[in-house]
């Protein structure tokens, strides 16, 4: 019933925005953050692992955690949900804007074009302090972050940590897509982190239909016109498959 309703919205919407979170990649084997048993934040404190202060306090510990997450990515692949989104975007050029909080690159691997990555890229590095002319990388001891031996500047993962600004151009493009869409699909996010979660509310206020796809309650259910209780890899192919196989 819910799926048929959202499928009908998808068919008529001129512009579609999709906001994805960690649940999008759960069936690829990437842990979420807030799931009670398996989420990263059940084991670690976000203020230790996902803030600049946490990194400055324990750089080796945090670097090793990101190294572990990077290693995990080498063994995972996009799931049927990522593939369904990519195929839909390829069949309907310019109609779907994909906005993700994920840093795993799986949407891009599946072939989705122009993904708006709000929280950066897990596989990228950047300098912790603004780089100086002296900043060149030295080999570091195993498990320690690479650094500049002249000034001590450290490399850090290229992800957005709590308390940091999102990349402005990406956020503005996502807000524009949220304001302009007729339908927003919110997939696999707890809806607890802003400004990302605010995009669903923005879309609703601007007149879009909002559909949440999540096997469990989320903080964005109240912003939704339809809530589908299913997983990304199960529901997205059913929602996004062409009505006519020739399409
Ligand atoms: P969370 O871990 O907070 O939420 C994951 C959501 O995915 C939950 O609502 C689950 O019910 C849902 N879920 C689990 N399995 C699913 C499946 N197979 N299909 C669909 N949904 C499923 O992750 P996010 O909401 O993405 O930020 O978290 C937002 C941000 O907080 C992350 O980008 C990260 C985190 O701290 C930073 O690291 C800056």
């Amino acid at each position: 019933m819910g799926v048929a309703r959202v499928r009908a919205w998808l068919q008529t919407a001129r512009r579609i925005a999709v906001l994805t979170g960690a649940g999008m990649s759960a069936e690829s084997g990437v842990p979420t953050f807030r799931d009670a048993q398996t989420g990263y934040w059940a084991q670690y404190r976000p203020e230790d692992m996902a803030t600049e202060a946490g990194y400055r306090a324990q750089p080796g510990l945090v670097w090793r955690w990101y190294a572990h997450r990077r290693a995990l990515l080498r063994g995972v692949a996009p799931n049927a949900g990522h593939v369904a989104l990519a195929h839909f975007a390829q069949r309907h050029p310019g109609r779907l804007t994909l906005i993700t909080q994920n840093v795993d690159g799986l949407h891009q691997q599946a072939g989705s074009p122009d993904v708006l990555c709000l929280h950066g890229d897990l596989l990228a590095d950047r300098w912790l302090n603004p780089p100086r002319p002296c900043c060149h990388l030295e080999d570091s001891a195993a498990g320690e972050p690479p650094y500049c031996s002249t000034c001590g500047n450290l490399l850090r993962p290229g992800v957005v940590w709590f308390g940091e600004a999102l990349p402005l151009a990406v956020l503005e493009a996502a807000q524009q897509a949220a304001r302009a869409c007729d339908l927003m699909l919110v997939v696999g996010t707890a809806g607890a982190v802003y400004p990302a979660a605010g995009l669903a509310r923005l879309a609703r206020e601007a007149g879009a239909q909002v559909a949440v796809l999540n096997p469990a309650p989320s903080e964005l259910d109240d912003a939704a016109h339809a809530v589908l209780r299913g997983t990304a890899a199960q529901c997205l192919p059913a929602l996004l498959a062409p009505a006519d196989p020739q399409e």
Side-chain angles (χ1 to χ4, degrees):
M1 166 68 188
V3 171
R5 194 162 155 233
V6 178
R7 242 182 100 78
W9 293 342
L10 274 161
Q11 273 155 16
T12 54
R14 279 170 305 131
R15 293 185 190 186
I16 300 157
V18 180
L19 172 67
T20 66
M24 179 75 230
S25 299
E27 288 150 294
S28 292
V30 182
T32 63
F33 294 94
R34 290 178 185 75
D35 280 282
Q37 308 299 324
T38 55
Y40 282 128
W41 300 154
Q43 247 184 304
Y44 301 100
R45 297 187 334 148
E47 54 271 43
D48 291 338
M49 297 301 186
T51 65
E52 185 181 320
Y55 189 51
R56 288 186 188 279
Q58 303 185 83
L61 176 79
V62 178
W63 184 259
R64 286 190 290 281
W65 187 59
Y66 283 90
H68 159 78
R69 289 178 56 196
R70 288 171 175 185
L72 186 138
L73 282 195
R74 287 196 276 278
V76 304
N79 63 52
H82 295 105
V83 171
L85 281 168
H87 285 176
F88 186 94
Q90 289 159 10
R91 290 199 309 277
H92 303 275
R95 207 170 142 216
L96 184 148
T97 303
L98 181 50
I99 307 162
T100 190
Q101 299 166 84
N102 298 345
V103 293
D104 56 29
L106 290 177
H107 284 305
Q108 296 91 322
Q109 259 191 58
S112 279
D114 306 322
V115 183
L116 296 174
C117 296
L118 295 172
H119 291 168
D121 176 355
L122 182 59
L123 297 179
D125 287 323
R126 59 188 175 86
W127 290 106
L128 180 59
N129 297 322
R132 299 183 190 159
C134 66
C135 283
H136 292 99
L137 287 182
E138 292 292 323
D139 280 343
S140 50
E144 297 299 319
Y147 66 104
C148 169
S149 61
T150 307
C151 70
N153 202 357
L154 300 177
L155 276 196
R156 57 159 282 180
V159 299
V160 176
W161 281 331
F162 288 104
E164 295 180 334
L166 274 57
L168 186 61
V170 177
L171 178 60
E172 284 178 351
Q175 288 168 334
Q176 173 56 26
R179 272 190 220 100
C181 70
D182 309 298
L183 171 64
M184 177 175 276
L185 283 184
V186 180
V187 184
T189 179
V193 173
Y194 283 74
L199 295 168
R201 301 191 185 280
L202 186 60
R204 178 160 183 149
E205 281 159 23
Q209 302 284 351
V210 175
V212 162
L213 196 178
N214 197 314
S218 84
E219 294 183 28
L220 289 172
D221 291 359
D222 68 317
H225 300 89
V227 177
L228 304 180
R229 286 278 173 253
T231 72
Q234 286 168 356
C235 286
L236 284 173
L239 282 175
L240 298 169
D244 170 359
Q246 305 298 318
E247 189 193 327

